[in-house]
Amino acid sequence: LTDPALLDFALDGPTPIHFVAHDGIIAIFNDGDGTAAIFPESAVRSNGDVVIVESGRAHHGVAVPMDDLVVISLPNPDDPEARLPVGVAVRTLDGEEVAAFAECPGLHGETSIGHDTIAFGCTDGVLILERDGDTWTTRKIANPADNPDEARVGTLYYNEASELLVGNWSRQGLT
């Protein structure tokens, strides 16, 4: 171990909020303009290249790197003032859209489950996005029908050793 030191690596982005590392690749989502900076972990020490992927506009979003693709949040197309996304798009690092899933209103919170699955918190449940080769599919774990307080999952965590997916249930507890 050595004393901590500031590295030469630096990124400029308006309001960088979500930092996601997945299989040796890092994504930092900039809420201020809706872009995501994608780079390998090794770039931090070597001042390597950073790829910028656009989501469409500023919002409180997230990006998850997956090999040569990125899963990036979709801003609400019907309400330019909405801060939370409505789903996710799978894009190449050149920005080409491979698939889109606008079925997660109020998207907030994500976690990777292994290499090819990601869970996202939505106002109406949890969206599970799965990849099988070049095919992407989703399924939804719906909130209970009797939800008088309109509780929701907004933070997720997956523990590989126990194979448990855990989320907050608003301020009421865990799910």
Side-chain angles (χ1 to χ4, degrees):
L1 296 178
T2 63
D3 291 334
L6 186 61
L7 300 173
D8 291 333
F9 184 80
L11 293 174
D12 286 325
T15 322
I17 298 293
H18 282 110
F19 174 101
V20 176
H22 187 258
D23 290 338
I25 305 170
I26 296 171
I28 299 175
F29 191 87
N30 297 301
D31 283 8
D33 66 2
T35 61
I38 315 291
F39 52 95
E41 288 179 7
S42 61
V44 174
R45 292 199 182 277
S46 66
N47 258 343
D49 292 334
V50 175
V51 174
I52 303 297
V53 177
E54 304 274 341
S55 72
R57 70 172 169 75
H59 66 283
H60 184 58
V62 66
V64 180
M66 295 186 81
D67 299 323
D68 59 344
L69 300 169
V70 62
V71 177
I72 193 165
S73 54
L74 290 170
N76 187 328
D78 300 325
D79 182 0
E81 300 301 315
R83 295 297 298 151
L84 292 179
V86 296
V88 294
V90 179
R91 297 209 172 121
T92 67
L93 296 182
D94 293 332
E96 178 187 340
E97 191 167 279
V98 174
F101 305 94
E103 54 201 69
C104 187
L107 184 150
H108 193 275
E110 61 71 35
T111 192
S112 294
I113 302 169
H115 182 72
D116 293 320
T117 304
I118 308 170
F120 298 93
C122 316
T123 57
D124 61 354
V126 174
L127 179 70
I128 307 293
L129 174 68
E130 297 175 285
R131 175 176 66 179
D132 183 7
D134 292 334
T135 303
W136 295 84
T137 58
T138 61
R139 59 188 165 99
K140 183 69 89 56
I141 302 170
N143 286 345
D146 179 23
N147 188 10
D149 298 327
E150 296 185 26
R152 62 156 301 155
V153 173
T155 300
L156 290 161
Y157 175 76
Y158 177 73
N159 181 283
E160 196 170 316
S162 66
E163 296 184 331
L164 287 176
L165 173 63
V166 179
N168 70 317
W169 186 241
S170 292
R171 294 182 178 167
Q172 300 174 17
L174 297 177
T175 183

